[in-house]
Amino acid sequence: MKKISIDLGDITKLNVDAIVNAANSSLLGGGGVDGAIHRAAGPELVAECRTLHGCRTGEAKITKGYRLPAKYVIHTVGPIYSGSREDPVLLGNCYRNSLSLAKENHLHSIAFSAISTGVYGYPLEEATAVAVKTVTEWLDAHPDYDMTVIFSCFSQRVENAYRKELGD
Ligand code: ADP
């Protein structure tokens, strides 16, 4: 069975154990996918987020999903693209730390938004390469753990980038 798949559509509709939010460091909501997740989850989400006292770039924190079909939300903060060598390291940390946090919580399905590729300005092809490489390496490093990964693509352009990177 394939462990990685692509979904074209809105991440807030996905019925998975966890969806990964491209949050900002305050964790108190924002635009883009973050705003969509908070709107769909309801006000209980920001209330729980307030108890977490923010999140550093590359790190990940977990909350419940409230009114979402997803049971949990993993909030990670992508790097604001700068063109430095740190960018892919920090972006890779987002994917790796989110997967490890999901495993610690005994979760088995996770859907990622295309972290940093919106207002944070990460070039789509480069970000997609980091996402696919990091997730593939994590899955290879945990062969005995059942984890299904979905890359949630909000546009055809994003979907095309993932299809190209995954070679399907
Ligand atoms: P960042 O600040 O990390 O760049 P954005 O939310 O601006 O985060 O964008 C990240 C990605 O999320 C973009 O590719 C954007 O198209 C996508 N996106 C926006 N809304 C949704 C949604 N409802 N479901 C899935 N992806 C979304």
Side-chain angles (χ1 to χ4, degrees), residues 58-59 76-79 86-99 112 115-116 122 126-127 129-135 137-138:
E59 296 183 357
T76 189
V77 181
E86 277 292 285
D87 293 337
V89 177
L90 292 169
L91 187 61
N93 289 347
C94 289
Y95 285 92
R96 196 175 314 102
N97 288 329
S98 295
L99 285 162
F112 282 98
I115 300 158
S116 286
Y122 213 116
E126 287 176 41
V130 172
V132 169
K133 179 171 182 283
T134 309
V135 167
E137 285 175 357
W138 191 94

mmCIF file of all heavy atoms in Angstrom, residues 58-59 76-79 86-99 112 115-116 122 126-127 129-135 137-138:
data_model
loop_
_atom_site.group_PDB
_atom_site.id
_atom_site.type_symbol
_atom_site.label_atom_id
_atom_site.label_comp_id
_atom_site.label_asym_id
_atom_site.label_seq_id
_atom_site.Cartn_x
_atom_site.Cartn_y
_atom_site.Cartn_z
ATOM 1 N N GLY A 58 10.174 25.812 12.793
ATOM 2 C CA GLY A 58 10.665 24.437 12.645
ATOM 3 C C GLY A 58 10.118 23.485 13.685
ATOM 4 O O GLY A 58 10.233 22.269 13.538
ATOM 5 N N GLU A 59 9.526 24.033 14.759
ATOM 6 C CA GLU A 59 8.972 23.169 15.800
ATOM 7 C C GLU A 59 7.479 22.928 15.569
ATOM 8 O O GLU A 59 6.884 23.533 14.668
ATOM 9 C CB GLU A 59 9.244 23.781 17.182
ATOM 10 C CG GLU A 59 10.747 23.831 17.445
ATOM 11 C CD GLU A 59 11.129 24.339 18.811
ATOM 12 O OE1 GLU A 59 10.250 24.725 19.595
ATOM 13 O OE2 GLU A 59 12.343 24.346 19.080
ATOM 14 N N THR A 76 2.687 23.898 13.029
ATOM 15 C CA THR A 76 4.128 24.063 12.838
ATOM 16 C C THR A 76 4.369 25.406 12.175
ATOM 17 O O THR A 76 3.496 25.931 11.475
ATOM 18 C CB THR A 76 4.726 22.891 12.030
ATOM 19 O OG1 THR A 76 6.157 22.974 12.051
ATOM 20 C CG2 THR A 76 4.254 22.880 10.582
ATOM 21 N N VAL A 77 5.544 25.964 12.437
ATOM 22 C CA VAL A 77 5.857 27.297 11.916
ATOM 23 C C VAL A 77 6.973 27.163 10.893
ATOM 24 O O VAL A 77 8.102 26.793 11.238
ATOM 25 C CB VAL A 77 6.275 28.247 13.055
ATOM 26 C CG1 VAL A 77 6.583 29.641 12.496
ATOM 27 C CG2 VAL A 77 5.191 28.314 14.120
ATOM 28 N N GLY A 78 6.639 27.414 9.637
ATOM 29 C CA GLY A 78 7.623 27.338 8.566
ATOM 30 C C GLY A 78 8.507 28.574 8.559
ATOM 31 O O GLY A 78 8.175 29.608 9.151
ATOM 32 N N PRO A 79 9.654 28.470 7.891
ATOM 33 C CA PRO A 79 10.529 29.647 7.772
ATOM 34 C C PRO A 79 9.949 30.651 6.779
ATOM 35 O O PRO A 79 9.333 30.271 5.783
ATOM 36 C CB PRO A 79 11.831 29.050 7.222
ATOM 37 C CG PRO A 79 11.402 27.835 6.460
ATOM 38 C CD PRO A 79 10.202 27.283 7.190
ATOM 39 N N GLU A 86 19.712 28.075 5.738
ATOM 40 C CA GLU A 86 18.868 27.669 6.865
ATOM 41 C C GLU A 86 17.449 27.303 6.425
ATOM 42 O O GLU A 86 16.780 26.511 7.087
ATOM 43 C CB GLU A 86 18.763 28.821 7.879
ATOM 44 C CG GLU A 86 19.921 28.902 8.826
ATOM 45 C CD GLU A 86 19.927 27.719 9.779
ATOM 46 O OE1 GLU A 86 19.097 27.704 10.702
ATOM 47 O OE2 GLU A 86 20.755 26.801 9.586
ATOM 48 N N ASP A 87 16.982 27.892 5.320
ATOM 49 C CA ASP A 87 15.583 27.696 4.920
ATOM 50 C C ASP A 87 15.208 26.218 4.787
ATOM 51 O O ASP A 87 14.230 25.783 5.410
ATOM 52 C CB ASP A 87 15.272 28.413 3.596
ATOM 53 C CG ASP A 87 15.339 29.917 3.692
ATOM 54 O OD1 ASP A 87 15.187 30.465 4.798
ATOM 55 O OD2 ASP A 87 15.555 30.550 2.645
ATOM 56 N N PRO A 88 15.946 25.422 3.988
ATOM 57 C CA PRO A 88 15.551 24.012 3.852
ATOM 58 C C PRO A 88 15.715 23.222 5.141
ATOM 59 O O PRO A 88 14.974 22.258 5.367
ATOM 60 C CB PRO A 88 16.463 23.473 2.745
ATOM 61 C CG PRO A 88 17.582 24.446 2.623
ATOM 62 C CD PRO A 88 17.056 25.773 3.073
ATOM 63 N N VAL A 89 16.651 23.626 5.988
ATOM 64 C CA VAL A 89 16.834 22.938 7.276
ATOM 65 C C VAL A 89 15.596 23.154 8.141
ATOM 66 O O VAL A 89 15.006 22.210 8.686
ATOM 67 C CB VAL A 89 18.104 23.457 8.003
ATOM 68 C CG1 VAL A 89 18.248 22.803 9.370
ATOM 69 C CG2 VAL A 89 19.347 23.227 7.149
ATOM 70 N N LEU A 90 15.182 24.409 8.231
ATOM 71 C CA LEU A 90 14.023 24.743 9.071
ATOM 72 C C LEU A 90 12.740 24.140 8.504
ATOM 73 O O LEU A 90 11.903 23.626 9.254
ATOM 74 C CB LEU A 90 13.890 26.265 9.199
ATOM 75 C CG LEU A 90 15.013 26.932 9.996
ATOM 76 C CD1 LEU A 90 14.939 28.450 9.842
ATOM 77 C CD2 LEU A 90 14.938 26.554 11.475
ATOM 78 N N LEU A 91 12.601 24.177 7.178
ATOM 79 C CA LEU A 91 11.395 23.606 6.578
ATOM 80 C C LEU A 91 11.366 22.086 6.781
ATOM 81 O O LEU A 91 10.321 21.512 7.106
ATOM 82 C CB LEU A 91 11.314 23.960 5.088
ATOM 83 C CG LEU A 91 10.015 23.549 4.399
ATOM 84 C CD1 LEU A 91 8.798 24.235 5.025
ATOM 85 C CD2 LEU A 91 10.083 23.867 2.899
ATOM 86 N N GLY A 92 12.504 21.443 6.617
ATOM 87 C CA GLY A 92 12.596 20.000 6.875
ATOM 88 C C GLY A 92 12.241 19.686 8.329
ATOM 89 O O GLY A 92 11.541 18.707 8.606
ATOM 90 N N ASN A 93 12.690 20.533 9.249
ATOM 91 C CA ASN A 93 12.356 20.323 10.665
ATOM 92 C C ASN A 93 10.839 20.330 10.877
ATOM 93 O O ASN A 93 10.322 19.557 11.682
ATOM 94 C CB ASN A 93 12.986 21.423 11.536
ATOM 95 C CG ASN A 93 14.490 21.296 11.643
ATOM 96 O OD1 ASN A 93 15.068 20.274 11.282
ATOM 97 N ND2 ASN A 93 15.135 22.345 12.135
ATOM 98 N N CYS A 94 10.131 21.196 10.162
ATOM 99 C CA CYS A 94 8.658 21.258 10.294
ATOM 100 C C CYS A 94 8.041 19.898 9.985
ATOM 101 O O CYS A 94 7.183 19.410 10.732
ATOM 102 C CB CYS A 94 8.069 22.276 9.317
ATOM 103 S SG CYS A 94 8.412 23.990 9.720
ATOM 104 N N TYR A 95 8.450 19.307 8.871
ATOM 105 C CA TYR A 95 7.863 18.023 8.452
ATOM 106 C C TYR A 95 8.272 16.906 9.414
ATOM 107 O O TYR A 95 7.441 16.101 9.848
ATOM 108 C CB TYR A 95 8.262 17.703 7.006
ATOM 109 C CG TYR A 95 7.486 18.564 6.015
ATOM 110 C CD1 TYR A 95 7.993 19.778 5.562
ATOM 111 C CD2 TYR A 95 6.228 18.181 5.575
ATOM 112 C CE1 TYR A 95 7.272 20.582 4.688
ATOM 113 C CE2 TYR A 95 5.502 18.974 4.706
ATOM 114 C CZ TYR A 95 6.027 20.172 4.255
ATOM 115 O OH TYR A 95 5.286 20.964 3.412
ATOM 116 N N ARG A 96 9.560 16.860 9.762
ATOM 117 C CA ARG A 96 10.067 15.797 10.638
ATOM 118 C C ARG A 96 9.446 15.894 12.030
ATOM 119 O O ARG A 96 8.976 14.898 12.589
ATOM 120 C CB ARG A 96 11.595 15.903 10.720
ATOM 121 C CG ARG A 96 12.275 14.672 11.273
ATOM 122 C CD ARG A 96 13.796 14.785 11.227
ATOM 123 N NE ARG A 96 14.277 15.287 9.958
ATOM 124 C CZ ARG A 96 14.691 16.539 9.716
ATOM 125 N NH1 ARG A 96 14.715 17.427 10.689
ATOM 126 N NH2 ARG A 96 15.110 16.895 8.522
ATOM 127 N N ASN A 97 9.432 17.093 12.601
ATOM 128 C CA ASN A 97 8.896 17.252 13.958
ATOM 129 C C ASN A 97 7.393 16.989 13.994
ATOM 130 O O ASN A 97 6.878 16.450 14.983
ATOM 131 C CB ASN A 97 9.216 18.652 14.495
ATOM 132 C CG ASN A 97 10.695 18.804 14.824
ATOM 133 O OD1 ASN A 97 11.355 17.832 15.202
ATOM 134 N ND2 ASN A 97 11.223 20.006 14.690
ATOM 135 N N SER A 98 6.680 17.332 12.932
ATOM 136 C CA SER A 98 5.236 17.062 12.885
ATOM 137 C C SER A 98 4.977 15.560 12.853
ATOM 138 O O SER A 98 4.082 15.053 13.555
ATOM 139 C CB SER A 98 4.613 17.716 11.650
ATOM 140 O OG SER A 98 4.699 19.121 11.727
ATOM 141 N N LEU A 99 5.753 14.836 12.056
ATOM 142 C CA LEU A 99 5.585 13.378 11.979
ATOM 143 C C LEU A 99 5.927 12.723 13.317
ATOM 144 O O LEU A 99 5.211 11.817 13.774
ATOM 145 C CB LEU A 99 6.464 12.816 10.863
ATOM 146 C CG LEU A 99 5.951 13.085 9.449
ATOM 147 C CD1 LEU A 99 7.076 12.901 8.431
ATOM 148 C CD2 LEU A 99 4.774 12.175 9.105
ATOM 149 N N PHE A 112 -0.562 17.183 5.375
ATOM 150 C CA PHE A 112 0.251 18.400 5.447
ATOM 151 C C PHE A 112 -0.264 19.459 4.486
ATOM 152 O O PHE A 112 -0.519 19.170 3.306
ATOM 153 C CB PHE A 112 1.697 18.097 5.029
ATOM 154 C CG PHE A 112 2.515 17.413 6.079
ATOM 155 C CD1 PHE A 112 2.686 16.030 6.044
ATOM 156 C CD2 PHE A 112 3.135 18.139 7.088
ATOM 157 C CE1 PHE A 112 3.458 15.385 7.007
ATOM 158 C CE2 PHE A 112 3.908 17.502 8.049
ATOM 159 C CZ PHE A 112 4.073 16.129 8.013
ATOM 160 N N ILE A 115 3.551 23.947 3.597
ATOM 161 C CA ILE A 115 4.100 24.898 4.570
ATOM 162 C C ILE A 115 5.053 25.902 3.902
ATOM 163 O O ILE A 115 5.907 25.504 3.091
ATOM 164 C CB ILE A 115 4.847 24.111 5.679
ATOM 165 C CG1 ILE A 115 3.884 23.154 6.384
ATOM 166 C CG2 ILE A 115 5.515 25.047 6.683
ATOM 167 C CD1 ILE A 115 4.593 22.005 7.091
ATOM 168 N N SER A 116 4.877 27.153 4.246
ATOM 169 C CA SER A 116 5.724 28.288 3.808
ATOM 170 C C SER A 116 5.537 28.718 2.355
ATOM 171 O O SER A 116 6.165 29.690 1.931
ATOM 172 C CB SER A 116 7.231 28.023 4.040
ATOM 173 O OG SER A 116 7.565 28.116 5.406
ATOM 174 N N TYR A 122 8.155 30.821 0.167
ATOM 175 C CA TYR A 122 9.109 29.759 -0.223
ATOM 176 C C TYR A 122 8.778 29.324 -1.654
ATOM 177 O O TYR A 122 7.637 28.959 -1.930
ATOM 178 C CB TYR A 122 8.971 28.568 0.726
ATOM 179 C CG TYR A 122 10.258 27.820 0.988
ATOM 180 C CD1 TYR A 122 10.820 27.772 2.263
ATOM 181 C CD2 TYR A 122 10.919 27.163 -0.038
ATOM 182 C CE1 TYR A 122 12.003 27.092 2.508
ATOM 183 C CE2 TYR A 122 12.102 26.481 0.201
ATOM 184 C CZ TYR A 122 12.637 26.450 1.483
ATOM 185 O OH TYR A 122 13.800 25.774 1.715
ATOM 186 N N GLU A 126 11.002 24.237 -4.744
ATOM 187 C CA GLU A 126 12.016 23.970 -3.707
ATOM 188 C C GLU A 126 11.365 23.441 -2.432
ATOM 189 O O GLU A 126 11.861 22.506 -1.799
ATOM 190 C CB GLU A 126 12.786 25.257 -3.370
ATOM 191 C CG GLU A 126 13.767 25.694 -4.440
ATOM 192 C CD GLU A 126 14.413 27.031 -4.067
ATOM 193 O OE1 GLU A 126 14.764 27.228 -2.886
ATOM 194 O OE2 GLU A 126 14.537 27.882 -4.959
ATOM 195 N N ALA A 127 10.256 24.045 -2.044
ATOM 196 C CA ALA A 127 9.563 23.616 -0.823
ATOM 197 C C ALA A 127 9.029 22.195 -0.984
ATOM 198 O O ALA A 127 9.106 21.383 -0.049
ATOM 199 C CB ALA A 127 8.423 24.578 -0.506
ATOM 200 N N ALA A 129 10.230 19.838 -2.869
ATOM 201 C CA ALA A 129 11.355 18.898 -2.814
ATOM 202 C C ALA A 129 11.738 18.601 -1.365
ATOM 203 O O ALA A 129 11.961 17.435 -0.996
ATOM 204 C CB ALA A 129 12.551 19.465 -3.586
ATOM 205 N N VAL A 130 11.776 19.611 -0.533
ATOM 206 C CA VAL A 130 12.111 19.418 0.892
ATOM 207 C C VAL A 130 11.029 18.572 1.565
ATOM 208 O O VAL A 130 11.326 17.643 2.325
ATOM 209 C CB VAL A 130 12.257 20.782 1.615
ATOM 210 C CG1 VAL A 130 12.418 20.587 3.125
ATOM 211 C CG2 VAL A 130 13.436 21.565 1.041
ATOM 212 N N ALA A 131 9.766 18.881 1.264
ATOM 213 C CA ALA A 131 8.651 18.149 1.886
ATOM 214 C C ALA A 131 8.714 16.664 1.539
ATOM 215 O O ALA A 131 8.661 15.808 2.431
ATOM 216 C CB ALA A 131 7.322 18.746 1.415
ATOM 217 N N VAL A 132 8.857 16.361 0.266
ATOM 218 C CA VAL A 132 8.843 14.965 -0.176
ATOM 219 C C VAL A 132 10.070 14.221 0.356
ATOM 220 O O VAL A 132 9.959 13.097 0.861
ATOM 221 C CB VAL A 132 8.749 14.884 -1.717
ATOM 222 C CG1 VAL A 132 8.995 13.467 -2.215
ATOM 223 C CG2 VAL A 132 7.374 15.386 -2.179
ATOM 224 N N LYS A 133 11.224 14.843 0.292
ATOM 225 C CA LYS A 133 12.460 14.195 0.776
ATOM 226 C C LYS A 133 12.366 13.904 2.277
ATOM 227 O O LYS A 133 12.677 12.800 2.729
ATOM 228 C CB LYS A 133 13.653 15.116 0.484
ATOM 229 C CG LYS A 133 14.991 14.588 0.937
ATOM 230 C CD LYS A 133 16.114 15.483 0.386
ATOM 231 C CE LYS A 133 17.485 14.966 0.766
ATOM 232 N NZ LYS A 133 17.821 15.262 2.173
ATOM 233 N N THR A 134 11.925 14.884 3.045
ATOM 234 C CA THR A 134 11.893 14.721 4.496
ATOM 235 C C THR A 134 10.870 13.670 4.914
ATOM 236 O O THR A 134 11.147 12.821 5.773
ATOM 237 C CB THR A 134 11.586 16.070 5.180
ATOM 238 O OG1 THR A 134 12.469 17.056 4.667
ATOM 239 C CG2 THR A 134 11.744 15.966 6.688
ATOM 240 N N VAL A 135 9.696 13.703 4.295
ATOM 241 C CA VAL A 135 8.661 12.718 4.636
ATOM 242 C C VAL A 135 9.111 11.315 4.239
ATOM 243 O O VAL A 135 8.965 10.356 5.009
ATOM 244 C CB VAL A 135 7.319 13.088 3.966
ATOM 245 C CG1 VAL A 135 6.322 11.940 4.044
ATOM 246 C CG2 VAL A 135 6.729 14.345 4.617
ATOM 247 N N GLU A 137 12.154 10.181 3.936
ATOM 248 C CA GLU A 137 13.213 9.740 4.860
ATOM 249 C C GLU A 137 12.619 9.322 6.203
ATOM 250 O O GLU A 137 13.050 8.324 6.796
ATOM 251 C CB GLU A 137 14.246 10.852 5.063
ATOM 252 C CG GLU A 137 15.172 10.997 3.861
ATOM 253 C CD GLU A 137 16.131 12.177 3.962
ATOM 254 O OE1 GLU A 137 16.063 12.939 4.952
ATOM 255 O OE2 GLU A 137 16.941 12.344 3.029
ATOM 256 N N TRP A 138 11.654 10.081 6.676
ATOM 257 C CA TRP A 138 11.036 9.736 7.975
ATOM 258 C C TRP A 138 10.317 8.394 7.882
ATOM 259 O O TRP A 138 10.450 7.547 8.772
ATOM 260 C CB TRP A 138 10.074 10.838 8.428
ATOM 261 C CG TRP A 138 9.631 10.679 9.847
ATOM 262 C CD1 TRP A 138 10.182 11.249 10.967
ATOM 263 C CD2 TRP A 138 8.531 9.858 10.317
ATOM 264 N NE1 TRP A 138 9.501 10.837 12.092
ATOM 265 C CE2 TRP A 138 8.490 9.982 11.723
ATOM 266 C CE3 TRP A 138 7.594 9.037 9.686
ATOM 267 C CZ2 TRP A 138 7.543 9.326 12.507
ATOM 268 C CZ3 TRP A 138 6.666 8.366 10.473
ATOM 269 C CH2 TRP A 138 6.637 8.520 11.864
#
